[in-house]
């Protein structure tokens, strides 16, 4: 187990280095490009297999205990340690990251057979694409596995450069501006976050996250906790993203290639909310209690803002981009995650963690589908797609239309699918917030959040009507291809897990709940 976790974190980095080397003659296949893309599938497949074995070997009777731990002294003078471990909170995110990375690599490899993956004239070769994808996977996996504040910061920052180049080199129109906006927002937020992490480490005398969580803020004064929550929270809120620090996200998603959007929505956004749960809730509880009402207020503002922005984009005549619409929907969905965290209750935090995983599955699928529609039509502009009567995907590409409708109803929180449980538990948590928080204020937030679910249903159903329904194909119009085999292989796991998580939520909640109970109690349970 120890070796498996180390392999999961370090393996993609080794694979990235190998991707930049010349392929052995016997492994080149039809072309060097094909060989390096196949290498990406192999490495991410091995990491996914290791993550599944780790999950199967995980002691499910004690999900609150850190397992598969490694604890080695690294920088002795600062007491910085290479400390790794997983519990019921981090394990689902670890497996989700490994799964989405593998599906993205698989999708890219087979897509090359149909539509050659060519870089921009000034960009790197597919070797660079695969290497960046693997570095991005390694940084994300490390964020969910490290248990030292300094290592957490390094892993948190490790993903920025590969995502920047994925957007800047393989993105669409406006890619350079979107990439710069992404990197500047996240770097500025991270500088402030680093100051907060160093403040905790210096004042508490350790950077070890397990020891700090067990201490539960007793070694930190209230003023130190308040400053630390403000500083760290800004950095985490940018990555989440929380309204009004979200404006980099729609541009990044609109310009990013399909796999970049899938990974950005599916796993990178989770790093911010994971930091709130792993660091701020257990280590600075008094500071979190001070800021919880403000966090909840920003969360519900994001829910309403994201939904209204999506409604505006979905209306005919507004030239709304479908990728941009899904990006704004993420602002609303992550608002429910932040609302659950702000309640500081087991119910709310479990809902936040469940919504994290559900959003990764459903929004990852949505971006895959929107990418497929853009490949077929050459645009993601809703007005162009729908025309006068609708895009009529049900009639022209019925499987693609059915999958888009499925992902939309999963995203709006239909009972029986993954999107339902996280949002419901977050609202339940807000209905009964933790002791010391204003119940009237949180009841107001509950009502606003519930209204946001209605707005979410409105814009997603409008999208389904405009894209999936419509009149017959005009005579002479070129038919579009339905779901291809490689697309079916990449999307089926996400569909299956969305249904599984919706029908058997106890599979995930059974992992997270004991760990959340222990975390909120300061390791005393």
């Amino acid at each position: 187990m120890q070796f498996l976790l180390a392999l999961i974190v370090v393996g993609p980095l080794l694979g990235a280095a190998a991707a930049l080397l010349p392929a052995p003659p016997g492994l080149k296949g039809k072309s060097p490009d094909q060989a390096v893309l196949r290498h990406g599938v192999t490495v991410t497949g091995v990491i996914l297999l290791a993550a599944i074995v780790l999950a199967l070997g995980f002691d499910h009777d004690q999900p609150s205990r850190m397992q598969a731990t490694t604890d080695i002294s690294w920088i002795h003078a600062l007491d910085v340690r290479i400390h790794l471990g997983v519990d019921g909170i981090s394990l689902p995110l670890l497996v989700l990251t490994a799964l989405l990375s593998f599906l993205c690599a698989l999708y890219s490899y087979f897509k090359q057979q149909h539509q050659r993956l060519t870089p921009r004239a000034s960009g790197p070769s597919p070797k660079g694409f695969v290497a960046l994808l693997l570095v991005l996977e390694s940084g994300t996996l490390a964020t969910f596995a490290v248990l030292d504040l300094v290592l957490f910061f390094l892993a948190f920052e490790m993903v920025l450069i590969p995502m920047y180049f994925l957007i800047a080199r393989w993105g669409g129109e406006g890619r350079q501006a979107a990439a710069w906006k992404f990197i500047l927002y996240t770097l500025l937020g991270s500088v402030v976050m680093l100051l907060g992490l160093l403040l905790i480490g210096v004042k508490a005398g350790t950077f070890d996250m397990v020891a700090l969580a067990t201490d539960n803020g007793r070694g930190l004064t209230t003023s130190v906790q308040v400053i630390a929550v403000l500083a760290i929270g800004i950095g985490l809120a940018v990555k989440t993203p929380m309204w009004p620090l979200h404006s980099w996200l729609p541009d990044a998603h609109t310009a990013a290639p399909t796999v970049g959007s899938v990974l950005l929505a599916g796993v990178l956004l989770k790093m911010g909310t994971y930091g709130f749960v792993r660091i701020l809730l257990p280590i600075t509880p008094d500071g979190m209690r001070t800021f919880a009402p403000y966090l909840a207020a920003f969360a519900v503002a994001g829910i309403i803002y994201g939904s209204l922005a999506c409604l505006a984009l979905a209306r005919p005549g507004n030239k709304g981009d479908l990728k941009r619409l899904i990006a704004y929907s993420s602002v609303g969905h992550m608002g429910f995650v932040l609302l659950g965290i702000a309640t500081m209750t087991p119910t709310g935090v479990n809902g936040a963690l469940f919504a994290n995983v559900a959003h990764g599955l459903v929004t990852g699928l949505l971006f895959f589908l929107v990418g497929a529609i853009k490949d077929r039509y050459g645009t993601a502009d809703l007005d162009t797609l729908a025309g006068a009567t609708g895009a009529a995907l049900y009639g022209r590409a019925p499987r693609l239309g059915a999958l888009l409708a499925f992902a939309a109803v999963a995203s709006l929180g239909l009972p029986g699918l993954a999107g339902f449980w996280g949002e419901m538990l977050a609202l339940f948590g807000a209905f009964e917030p933790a002791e010391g928080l204003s119940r009237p204020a949180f009841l107001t937030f509950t009502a606003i959040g519930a209204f946001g679910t209605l707005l979410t249903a409105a814009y997603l159903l409008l999208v389904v009507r405009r894209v999936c329904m419509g009149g017959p194909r005009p005579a002479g119009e070129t038919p579009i291809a339905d779901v291809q085999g490689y697309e079916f292989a990449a999307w089926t796991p996400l569909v299956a897990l969305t249904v599984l998580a919706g029908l058997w939520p106890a599979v995930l909640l059974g992992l997270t709940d004991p760990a959340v109970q222990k975390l909120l109690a300061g390791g005393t349970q």
Side-chain angles (χ1 to χ4, degrees):
M1 294 284 282
Q2 222 177 3
F3 171 77
L4 274 178
L5 185 57
L7 171 67
I8 289 168
V9 172
V10 178
L13 271 184
L14 301 177
L20 299 175
L21 300 175
L27 297 178
K28 284 185 178 179
K30 295 180 182 178
S31 70
D33 291 354
Q34 185 188 50
V36 74
L37 290 168
R38 185 173 59 242
H39 170 78
V41 175
T42 303
V43 173
T44 54
V46 169
I47 299 304
L48 175 60
L49 182 62
I52 292 172
V53 173
L54 180 70
L56 293 175
F58 187 81
D59 185 354
H60 291 260
D61 292 329
Q62 300 184 68
S64 62
R65 180 174 63 86
M66 282 295 171
Q67 301 180 37
T69 55
T70 299
D71 192 0
I72 303 169
S73 179
W74 181 33
I75 305 176
H76 183 72
L78 299 176
D79 194 28
V80 176
R81 310 183 67 81
I82 300 176
H83 193 181
L84 306 176
V86 290
D87 62 358
I89 292 172
S90 52
L91 182 64
L93 294 171
L94 209 70
V95 176
L96 175 67
T97 301
L99 173 65
L100 287 177
S101 299
F102 171 70
L103 295 180
C104 285
L106 189 71
Y107 180 84
S108 299
Y109 172 73
F110 283 107
K111 186 179 177 182
Q112 188 222 23
Q113 312 303 314
H114 298 263
Q115 179 183 338
R116 184 177 177 81
L117 181 69
T118 53
R120 305 287 175 185
S122 60
S125 69
K127 284 187 175 184
F129 178 87
V130 172
L132 292 169
L133 195 68
L134 292 174
V135 172
L136 183 68
E137 180 185 21
S138 180
T140 311
L141 291 168
T143 302
F144 299 137
V146 297
L147 297 172
D148 183 277
L149 291 179
V150 174
L151 279 185
F152 177 86
F153 176 78
L154 294 176
F156 197 83
E157 296 304 290
M158 183 177 168
V159 304
L160 301 185
I161 299 303
M163 182 52 73
Y164 167 82
F165 281 109
L166 284 174
I167 297 171
R169 298 302 192 191
W170 281 275
E173 185 179 351
R175 60 188 182 276
Q176 292 290 347
W180 274 110
K181 197 170 185 179
F182 163 76
I183 201 77
L184 289 175
Y185 264 75
T186 48
L187 276 178
L188 288 173
S190 298
V191 169
V192 182
M193 184 177 76
L194 177 61
L195 297 176
L197 295 174
L198 292 175
L199 176 65
I200 290 176
V202 170
K203 292 296 184 180
T206 181
F207 290 100
D208 187 87
M209 291 160 66
V210 176
L212 288 166
T214 303
D215 187 62
N216 201 220
R218 286 182 285 271
L220 301 171
T221 65
T222 301
S223 58
V224 167
Q225 291 189 38
V226 168
I227 295 170
V229 169
L230 182 61
I232 298 171
I234 289 173
L236 297 175
V238 170
K239 186 67 74 74
T240 298
M242 180 186 77
W243 179 90
L245 303 175
H246 68 284
S247 61
W248 62 268
L249 184 70
D251 291 339
H253 270 309
T254 305
T258 297
V259 295
S261 291
V262 171
L263 292 175
L264 182 58
V267 293
L268 261 70
L269 304 189
K270 314 302 174 284
M271 295 165 63
T273 51
Y274 175 79
F276 276 103
V277 175
R278 178 65 74 195
I279 298 174
L280 296 185
L281 278 178
I283 297 175
T284 56
D286 294 337
M288 270 298 291
R289 197 168 287 109
T290 300
F291 282 105
Y294 303 103
L295 179 62
F298 283 124
V300 295
I303 292 171
I304 300 301
Y305 172 83
S307 299
L308 291 176
C310 290
L311 271 174
L313 290 169
R315 281 203 299 267
N318 282 1
K319 295 291 181 182
D321 186 278
L322 195 50
K323 286 187 75 176
R324 196 173 189 85
L325 185 147
I326 303 302
Y328 272 111
S329 77
S330 292
V331 176
H333 288 307
M334 299 312 289
F336 282 102
V337 178
L338 291 172
L339 178 62
I341 293 169
T343 68
M344 300 184 69
T345 63
T347 301
V349 176
N350 275 304
L353 294 171
F354 198 103
N356 252 349
V357 175
H359 180 264
L361 296 172
V362 176
T363 308
L365 177 60
L366 276 171
F367 275 116
F368 269 133
L369 293 167
V370 174
I373 291 172
K374 189 173 183 178
D375 288 341
R376 286 157 172 78
Y377 283 95
T379 181
D381 180 79
L382 265 172
D383 288 340
T384 305
L385 288 173
T389 61
L393 274 188
Y394 286 151
R396 301 178 189 184
R399 295 183 185 87
L400 186 59
L403 281 171
L404 181 63
F406 169 84
V409 296
S411 184
L412 65 82
L414 185 74
L417 298 176
F420 171 72
W421 296 104
E423 294 182 3
M424 184 195 71
L425 289 172
L427 291 174
F428 278 0
F431 189 77
E432 288 283 354
E435 186 179 350
L437 298 179
S438 169
R439 188 156 188 259
F442 274 84
L443 286 176
T444 304
F445 300 146
T446 304
I448 297 172
F451 178 66
T453 63
L454 300 179
L455 295 177
T456 302
Y459 71 75
L460 284 169
L461 293 176
L462 183 57
V463 167
V464 169
R465 182 176 68 81
R466 297 193 68 200
V467 178
C468 296
M469 301 178 185
R473 177 166 59 91
E477 182 181 295
T478 305
I480 64 168
D482 208 341
V483 178
Q484 304 294 307
Y486 73 97
E487 294 172 327
F488 184 79
W491 303 342
T492 298
L494 300 179
V495 173
L497 289 171
T498 298
V499 175
L500 178 66
L503 295 178
W504 289 283
V507 174
L508 184 56
L509 293 174
L511 276 175
T512 62
D513 185 53
V516 168
Q517 297 275 1
K518 180 178 179 180
L519 205 68
L520 293 177
T524 58
Q525 293 186 354

